[in-house]
Amino acid sequence: MTGIAGTGLMVRLTLRRERRIAPWWILVLTALALVMVSYIERNMGTPKLLAQYVSVINDNSFFRALGGGFVVADPDYMAAWRSGGFLYVLNGLAAVLAVVRHTRADEDTGRTELLRSGVLSRFAPLTAALLVTGAVSLAGGLIPALALIAIGLDPVGSLAYAAAIAAAGGVFGGVAAVAAQLSRNARTARATGLSALGAAYILRYAGDASGQYWMKYVSPIGWSHWVEPYWSDRWWVLAVPVAVTAGLIALAYRLNGGRDLGAGLLPERLGPAGSAWLRGPVSLAWSLNRGLLFKWTAAVAVFAAAAGGVSTLADQLAKAPGGQADQLLRGFGGRPGADVVDYGLWAVILIFAHVIVMFPVLMVQRLCVEENSGRAETVLATTSTRLRWAAGQLVVAGLGTVVLLAVVGLVLGGFFAMLVGDFGADMWRVFAGAMGTLPAAWLVGAACFLVYGLLPRFSIAITWLLWLGVFVLGRAAGPLYGLWGGTPFEPFHYVPNTVAGADFDALPGLIMVALTALLVGGGLLALRRRDFG
């Protein structure tokens, strides 16, 4: 048997499985690129406004770090500067998830072992995963670029932008391929790839914020930013991610040839032989998911500390051209006459809350993964029932969301108070604002659980679409397309802006808690009545 026997078959199988996932990633990338162009045209439509924005951004390290460096008064470049920071990370994220899904995750479920019983070489699954992921990463850069060319942006700059986006996907696809060989299971491989992606973003962000550009030079995300499409068009920079991708792929093949199917090269840390407290579904869910919560807590704390620097934006935010400060005040609620920086803090809290909602979404998705893998049936073979098993996961998801929002409030509020505020008052004001978003976060998680109870087969896709809908329709993303106040179709719209002095109203929170209980009850009832597994 040759080393690539069965690769064509595996490529067709991988493409068939990706046809329901990859188009959504490409659609999100394309939509985000177009939305940013619309945002630039709407808010920086004249040379004078554009020059004012350039001055504000270049004079503030926080703004520069958000987009990836200094800016110039060119609308095409500004559009890529605003969207690139998102598109590079999103394409890298899609690549990590796809490679792990078609390599290590298939080994965990036994799919690879079944396929290897036929005429299939040991390298065929990895080769197919890399080929399909590479094609999707390339499409994730090329299709947005074609859309940008169609609306009138410079073709050469658009192609450079496409190459920068695709390069990020290629590098992190290689990272995921190596992680899949080293790790014992898909969860660890996925966490390794996502940790590398997060570290690359933090390095790039810190380099642009501090002026220590060596950190940007060593970051794979920074390499894409250094291309500077529509301005410098540094094609030669792409030689670095191409070379690194080739090296990572070669290493992945070398590691794949030296391990047994289903095994990882790095030994797993052995757990205790027995545990007196591991007696029920809650303790089991905690044992399985505490690592995820710890990683989320660390990441949230780091980014909340960085966002504490929003206090330095007070003067620039008030001077923002185009009346954006007034739009912020009208759209985000609060007390008339409140300081504009309070509205900026509320915007940061809402962004964190929308991101943290992903935690209960992921916890619900793990229920589906445990069910499909057969591990849940092992638990249900004991005295535990499916309702107790699911309830344990929901308890950990709900309390974990409390912890993450509390970390945002304490770290963000603490840094803001230490820099410009009153520690005794401002810290607890920000903390209370962050915790006020908790009922809305719980409600989104409960809706995802109802979807899992009713439609387990499609629950992962639907829950991601649900989260995306909440984000796009909310105040966090609304300013990108002119809706500063968001829309009434997502729960965070009804959370009062107490940070900017709005009166606290418990009624919306109580209604959302009641709806949460209703949705959870409906999900448990649906789970009890349907076939399991």
Side-chain angles (χ1 to χ4, degrees):
M1 183 188 302
T2 64
I4 60 172
T7 299
L9 174 65
M10 285 302 302
V11 168
R12 291 194 296 272
L13 176 61
T14 305
L15 283 171
R16 181 177 177 82
R17 294 171 61 195
E18 276 294 299
R19 75 186 192 278
R20 295 179 179 176
I21 302 174
W24 291 106
W25 282 106
I26 297 171
L27 178 62
V28 169
L29 294 171
T30 305
L32 187 56
L34 294 175
V35 164
M36 288 301 182
V37 173
S38 175
Y39 176 86
I40 297 299
E41 292 177 347
R42 185 173 57 252
N43 294 287
M44 310 176 196
T46 66
K48 181 179 179 181
L49 279 175
L50 185 60
Q52 289 177 327
Y53 269 101
V54 167
S55 177
V56 169
I57 292 170
N58 287 338
D59 289 341
N60 190 279
S61 61
F62 183 83
F63 280 151
R64 294 198 305 271
L66 284 178
F70 290 91
V71 296
V72 295
D74 181 88
D76 292 0
Y77 176 80
M78 286 291 290
W81 179 86
R82 284 298 301 262
S83 61
F86 299 109
L87 268 62
Y88 303 147
V89 172
L90 287 175
N91 211 30
L93 174 62
V96 169
L97 296 179
V99 170
V100 174
R101 179 165 57 248
H102 298 297
T103 54
R104 173 53 65 183
D106 280 354
E107 292 187 35
D108 290 352
T109 59
R111 183 181 286 114
T112 302
E113 184 177 7
L114 178 62
L115 292 169
R116 288 275 297 275
S117 64
V119 183
L120 189 72
S121 73
R122 69 182 301 132
F123 297 116
L126 176 60
T127 303
L130 289 172
L131 287 174
V132 173
T133 301
V136 172
S137 295
L138 184 60
L142 187 58
I143 293 178
L146 293 176
L148 294 175
I149 293 172
I151 63 173
L153 271 66
D154 176 56
V156 175
S158 298
L159 292 177
Y161 194 24
I165 296 170
V171 171
F172 288 102
V175 169
V178 172
Q181 313 311 313
L182 296 175
S183 306
R184 179 62 180 81
N185 55 58
R187 181 179 297 181
T188 305
R190 199 175 291 115
T192 302
L194 296 181
S195 297
L197 179 62
Y201 181 83
I202 291 173
L203 274 173
R204 198 282 306 162
Y205 185 97
D208 281 318
S210 65
Q212 300 295 319
Y213 292 113
W214 66 267
M215 291 188 282
K216 190 174 182 178
Y217 295 148
V218 300
S219 166
I221 298 296
W223 301 335
S224 292
H225 280 280
W226 274 114
V227 175
E228 292 188 350
Y230 301 106
W231 184 247
S232 301
D233 291 335
R234 298 190 183 103
W235 291 90
W236 60 268
V237 172
L238 296 172
V240 178
V242 169
V244 170
T245 300
L248 289 170
I249 291 175
L251 178 59
Y253 277 104
R254 181 69 179 269
L255 296 175
N256 182 269
R259 68 177 180 89
D260 295 329
L261 180 65
L265 292 175
L266 294 180
E268 284 199 323
R269 180 178 60 86
L270 296 178
S275 179
W277 64 271
L278 195 60
R279 299 290 187 183
V282 175
S283 57
L284 175 62
W286 167 249
S287 178
L288 293 174
N289 297 293
R290 61 187 176 188
L292 177 67
L293 179 58
F294 291 157
K295 292 169 187 173
W296 268 80
T297 302
V300 165
V302 169
F303 281 100
V310 73
S311 57
T312 66
L313 304 180
D315 294 338
Q316 290 85 351
L317 193 61
K319 298 175 183 177
Q324 291 202 16
D326 293 336
Q327 291 175 315
L328 186 69
L329 268 60
R330 290 195 302 268
F332 277 39
R335 174 178 52 82
D339 195 330
V340 67
V341 76
D342 293 335
Y343 292 91
L345 282 171
W346 181 239
V348 172
I349 289 173
L350 285 178
I351 292 172
F352 272 105
H354 281 81
V355 173
I356 287 172
V357 166
M358 281 196 290
F359 179 76
V361 171
L362 289 173
M363 291 290 285
V364 170
Q365 290 179 356
R366 282 196 169 186
L367 288 172
C368 184
V369 172
E370 294 292 306
E371 179 181 348
N372 292 336
S373 67
R375 290 189 292 267
E377 291 187 12
T378 304
V379 176
L380 299 182
T382 66
T383 56
S384 181
T385 65
R386 64 176 71 176
L387 297 188
R388 293 182 62 209
W389 165 75
Q393 189 88 348
L394 292 175
V395 169
V396 174
L399 294 179
T401 307
V402 174
V403 170
L404 294 174
L405 288 173
V407 169
V408 169
L410 292 173
V411 176
L412 176 64
F415 271 78
F416 171 75
M418 285 189 294
L419 288 172
V420 296
D422 179 2
F423 195 86
D426 289 326
M427 177 178 175
W428 298 113
R429 178 167 59 94
V430 175
F431 175 78
M435 296 307 296
T437 63
L438 179 62
W442 275 351
L443 182 58
V444 177
C448 292
F449 180 69
L450 178 63
V451 171
Y452 163 69
L454 293 172
L455 301 168
R457 182 179 177 183
F458 306 103
S459 60
I460 292 181
I462 294 175
T463 52
W464 276 126
L465 289 175
L466 181 62
W467 173 83
L468 183 63
V470 170
F471 184 82
V472 169
L473 296 175
R475 290 170 174 170
L480 296 178
Y481 47 88
L483 292 178
W484 288 84
T487 67
F489 305 111
E490 55 89 23
F492 292 98
H493 182 81
Y494 302 97
V495 179
N497 182 4
T498 56
V499 177
D503 294 333
F504 174 73
D505 185 0
L507 182 60
L510 292 175
I511 292 175
M512 285 188 276
V513 170
L515 290 174
T516 297
L518 185 64
L519 293 176
V520 169
L524 290 172
L525 180 62
L527 179 63
R528 181 180 180 182
R529 295 172 64 91
R530 69 170 172 83
D531 293 334
F532 193 79

